[in-house]
Amino acid sequence: AMYMTILLSVVTQNHKMFTGKINYGKRHRVAGAFHLMILLLYTLQLHYEAFWPVQASSVGPPILHFIDHLALDITLGLSGIILTHTAIYDFRSAHQDARINNVASGALDSASTITVGEMLEHSFYQIINLVQIIFLHTVSEKSLLSRMVALFAVTVPWIFRQSFPINSFSANYNSTKPGTDPTSLIGILYRIKKYQYLFYKHFMLHGLNVSVAMW
């Protein structure tokens, strides 16, 4: 709830991101507004269930009783994919990798501009999110053999990781790269982000999947 409060406060102060009259990025703005709406609905759903668990389990929130968690999760996953690809479509001409010379990739450096390659890379993880949603919602009701098949299916998309652009975290704090400083705040943050990603991928994602499938 606090996250959504802060987010909505920022959006309210910068409402022209969604309400501006210019056509530049129009598809991405519409997709962003829809994604924000889904996040808000989900926050309301979780808030209701946390404070009125009995009523939520029996009748559900008045405005959300027709939407279950699976529907919300899949909608959120699809929305994330659409959001990423509308960014690629709307900004591809101005954000081509060849036209942008960032010192660091990603958005940690305030002077950086997100490139099309980074958007494509992000789209892979949005697809992974959707695959994870389907896996976690369906695997618990299956036999052990079926769970093993589901585990294989949820892992297969990683075979195609090399087909998407890869932006190395270490390149952002490598002292041999012009303009980088491994001792700067940005360099330290990227180093932390790298290990955070490794923990997420190998323990919180693959480790979670194996645990869920086995038990």
Side-chain angles (χ1 to χ4, degrees):
M2 182 178 294
Y3 166 77
M4 285 303 300
T5 300
I6 296 172
L7 180 60
L8 290 174
S9 174
V10 172
V11 169
T12 302
Q13 295 175 38
N14 300 274
H15 62 89
K16 288 188 177 179
M17 291 189 299
F18 299 100
T19 61
K21 294 182 179 180
I22 58 175
N23 290 324
Y24 185 67
K26 184 177 181 180
R27 298 174 188 83
H28 188 58
R29 284 192 288 169
V30 172
F34 178 75
H35 194 72
L36 184 62
M37 181 188 71
I38 297 300
L39 288 173
L40 181 59
L41 286 175
Y42 218 142
T43 302
L44 293 174
Q45 172 95 337
L46 295 175
H47 180 79
Y48 185 89
E49 292 176 354
F51 287 92
W52 297 281
V54 176
Q55 294 90 328
S57 62
S58 59
V59 298
I63 63 171
L64 296 176
H65 68 276
F66 58 93
I67 304 177
D68 61 16
H69 285 163
L70 176 59
L72 275 174
D73 284 343
I74 289 179
T75 303
L76 188 62
L78 289 172
S79 177
I81 294 172
I82 293 170
L83 183 63
T84 306
H85 282 84
T86 53
I88 295 169
Y89 187 86
D90 282 353
F91 308 132
R92 66 186 185 279
S93 59
H95 289 244
Q96 289 294 338
D97 293 57
R99 297 185 58 179
I100 297 173
N101 185 27
N102 290 328
V103 172
S105 62
L108 282 181
D109 189 341
S110 59
S112 293
T113 300
I114 303 300
T115 65
V116 171
E118 290 166 342
M119 297 176 195
L120 282 168
E121 183 179 28
H122 186 63
S123 71
F124 170 80
Y125 292 100
Q126 292 292 349
I127 294 170
I128 289 295
N129 285 344
L130 181 59
V131 173
Q132 282 292 127
I133 287 168
I134 297 172
F135 171 76
L136 292 174
H137 271 285
T138 59
V139 70
S140 62
E141 300 177 359
K142 299 177 181 294
S143 65
L144 179 60
L145 177 60
S146 297
R147 294 202 302 272
M148 292 299 102
V149 173
L151 176 62
F152 175 78
V154 78
T155 308
V156 162
W158 286 92
I159 295 175
F160 304 99
R161 178 64 186 94
Q162 298 294 326
S163 300
F164 292 78
I166 296 176
N167 292 280
S168 171
F169 287 114
S170 60
N172 295 309
Y173 56 80
N174 189 339
S175 59
T176 63
K177 183 179 179 181
T180 61
D181 180 2
T183 62
S184 67
L185 176 61
I186 296 299
I188 293 172
L189 288 176
Y190 271 112
R191 190 182 295 271
I192 293 173
K193 190 175 180 181
K194 174 182 178 178
Y195 293 112
Q196 179 189 40
Y197 170 76
L198 291 175
F199 179 77
Y200 148 76
K201 178 181 176 181
H202 296 289
F203 293 93
M204 296 188 68
L205 188 122
H206 296 310
L208 172 65
N209 290 346
V210 172
S211 298
V212 169
M214 293 295 294
W215 293 281

